[in-house]
Amino acid sequence: MLAPAGKVQGIFAASLGLTRALKNRGVKAARFVPFGSGDNGLSVCPEAAFKQIASGEKFALLEQIVANYNRLLNTENPDVVIIEGLTSARFNKDELNADVCHALDADIIAVIHGWCGNARAAVTETLRHYGNAGRERVLGNLVINKVVDDDTAPEEALFPLEITIDNPNAPHAGDTGYDTW
């Protein structure tokens, strides 16, 4: 699950890019957007979700999200599903994303803006809501950097780059801790 840490814009592009990178490597990848306005019938309208939560029906909402996720699995039969976390909400987005993550038994990739001066603190605060999963199921962090002006873009931004996910819990001694596609 792509879990936005702090105020993140661009998670949609990040999920599309990660899905495409996986597909380009031969991995059958699919995107799942639990909260959205898509017409694919697999997303819950955010306003309807907030009404359910406000009326004490969070469990029913999570059941609906799990049912939608299972429909995606049955329809597309993917190897990997990129779950797009909610970036803003009337309720605590971190808590709601954590509930969805637990309901779907998903691993976590924290997403943060590169310009965030307190990136580490934002990621730590976000993952706190995920409990043990925030310590044990984190695959890494994805940093979104926005280039404001093409004339000032670093040279490497002008060419296709590899997606690298930092893995702070590298399992083997000597492992670099990075997965690259």
Side-chain angles (χ1 to χ4, degrees):
M1 175 173 203
L2 297 180
K7 293 183 179 181
V8 175
Q9 295 175 344
I11 200 164
F12 171 72
S15 69
L16 285 176
L18 186 54
T19 303
R20 176 174 283 211
L22 290 168
K23 286 181 177 181
N24 287 345
R25 286 295 201 171
V27 176
K28 191 171 180 185
R31 281 181 59 246
F32 178 64
V33 183
F35 303 99
S37 56
D39 58 1
N40 64 1
L42 297 177
S43 297
V44 176
C45 171
E47 290 77 23
F50 301 144
K51 286 180 184 178
Q52 279 186 285
I53 293 168
S55 62
E57 299 176 16
K58 186 190 263 186
F59 186 73
L61 171 64
L62 292 171
E63 284 182 332
Q64 182 179 1
I65 290 168
V66 170
N68 291 346
Y69 180 78
N70 286 332
R71 279 199 339 235
L72 173 82
L73 293 178
N74 291 333
T75 304
E76 297 190 26
N77 195 29
D79 299 322
V80 175
V81 178
I82 305 300
I83 304 166
E84 193 174 303
L86 185 65
T87 57
S88 63
R90 294 181 190 157
F91 295 93
N92 184 327
K93 73 170 176 60
D94 293 330
E95 182 180 319
L96 191 52
N97 282 331
D99 288 341
V100 170
C101 183
H102 288 119
L104 300 177
D105 194 30
D107 290 324
I108 304 164
I109 297 174
V111 180
I112 188 76
H113 271 288
W115 51 258
C116 179
N118 297 315
R120 184 177 299 236
V123 169
T124 300
E125 175 59 24
T126 294
L127 294 179
R128 182 181 63 79
H129 293 275
Y130 290 75
N132 285 337
R135 290 183 294 280
E136 299 169 4
R137 305 278 312 257
V138 178
L139 297 177
N141 304 308
L142 192 142
V143 180
I144 298 175
N145 285 314
K146 180 179 178 182
V147 176
V148 179
D149 184 355
D150 289 348
D151 294 333
T152 61
E155 185 177 326
E156 61 269 13
L158 302 175
F159 301 98
L161 297 176
E162 295 177 328
I163 294 176
T164 302
I165 300 175
D166 173 29
N167 182 353
N169 302 315
H172 301 69
D175 191 333
T176 63
Y178 293 94
D179 294 326
T180 303
W181 291 280

